[in-house]
Amino acid sequence: MANGYPENKEHKGIVFPSPIFGPIRSRRLGISLGINLMPADGKLCTFDCIYCECGFNGHHRPHLKRPTRAEVAAALEAQLLHMQAEGAMPDVLTFAGSGEPTAHPDFAGIIDDTIDLRNRHCPNARVTVLSNATMCVKPVVHRALQRVDNNIQKLDTVSARYIHLVDRPTGAYDMEAVIRALCDFQGHVTVQTLFMKGTFDGES
């Protein structure tokens, strides 16, 4: 984009703490406790979006492994107990961070654990997933996303050319299959899109 981050090749972005970060105040969601299923030292994503706040994938190659399902549950419960003692509970438990959360091999089980911990410690909080929709075509991921309160999936365009220019999938990407999977949520989904203008690598 002209006069923006994508043309600044030195921009390294940020890496979120893992597996728990925050809480932070979100304009959309309220007090959000973040759950990052990526390695603590890097970024792993099925897209390499030119506008990602975490920077390009190549700038943060991780050396550590993803947190395990057990590690995520233990860290989440510890933070919830801490917040409970402080008298400030989160409005949402948000899967986000340095990459695509639904790509974690134990994503479905982690959702089960998170819902259970939410029910026990902060029943008014909503479980939220911020996803790029690349993995919702997988039945096990799709079923897990049906169980969360806020299923927020990204679809920047219905142009395959645009997706490969801007979102830059790191593997096979079937846009029509993604759209069908989004429709299969039967309304239990919020689709988010980034509107922008400018050029990247000489293309607009």
Side-chain angles (χ1 to χ4, degrees):
M1 290 185 294
N3 301 318
Y5 148 55
E7 291 190 343
N8 179 5
K9 303 302 184 182
E10 298 303 315
H11 179 84
K12 301 299 184 183
I14 57 176
V15 173
F16 289 91
S18 176
I20 305 299
F21 64 95
I24 61 176
R25 182 173 293 278
S26 166
R27 286 180 297 174
R28 285 188 297 170
L29 303 172
I31 302 300
S32 172
L33 183 62
I35 305 172
N36 180 18
L37 302 184
M38 298 302 107
D41 65 337
K43 178 188 174 190
L44 285 175
C45 196
T46 51
F47 274 171
D48 196 13
C49 298
I50 64 174
Y51 56 77
C52 181
E53 66 179 339
C54 297
F56 295 145
N57 293 346
H59 291 163
H60 294 296
R61 298 294 186 193
H63 300 285
L64 301 176
K65 295 181 179 180
R66 292 182 174 98
T68 66
R69 175 180 175 178
E71 288 169 341
V72 174
L76 176 59
E77 183 162 37
Q79 181 62 19
L80 289 176
L81 289 172
H82 173 74
M83 294 179 71
Q84 193 172 50
E86 294 288 319
M89 298 306 289
D91 297 312
V92 289
L93 307 177
T94 306
F95 286 86
S98 310
E100 175 51 39
T102 63
H104 192 291
D106 285 328
F107 176 73
I110 291 171
I111 289 295
D112 288 339
D113 296 341
T114 301
I115 292 172
D116 178 62
L117 289 169
R118 183 276 308 274
N119 292 344
R120 284 194 278 138
H121 296 297
C122 50
N124 293 325
R126 302 180 304 280
V127 177
T128 297
V129 176
L130 302 180
S131 170
N132 64 22
T134 54
M135 304 296 288
C136 71
V137 297
K138 294 191 171 186
V140 65
V141 172
H142 199 278
R143 289 192 295 269
L145 291 169
Q146 289 277 27
R147 299 197 297 274
V148 306
D149 301 292
N150 297 325
N151 174 28
I152 302 176
Q153 303 289 315
K154 178 171 76 169
L155 185 66
D156 280 337
T157 181
V158 294
S159 164
R161 173 189 168 277
Y162 184 95
I163 285 178
H164 282 86
L165 173 66
V166 174
D167 296 332
R168 304 193 302 173
T170 59
Y173 181 80
D174 185 338
M175 185 182 63
E176 296 299 328
V178 169
I179 292 173
R180 287 195 299 271
L182 293 175
C183 291
D184 286 343
F185 284 119
Q186 297 182 337
H188 184 67
V189 63
T190 298
V191 176
Q192 65 176 11
T193 300
L194 179 73
F195 292 89
M196 61 182 182
K197 64 180 180 178
T199 61
F200 179 71
D201 281 349
E203 297 192 55
S204 58

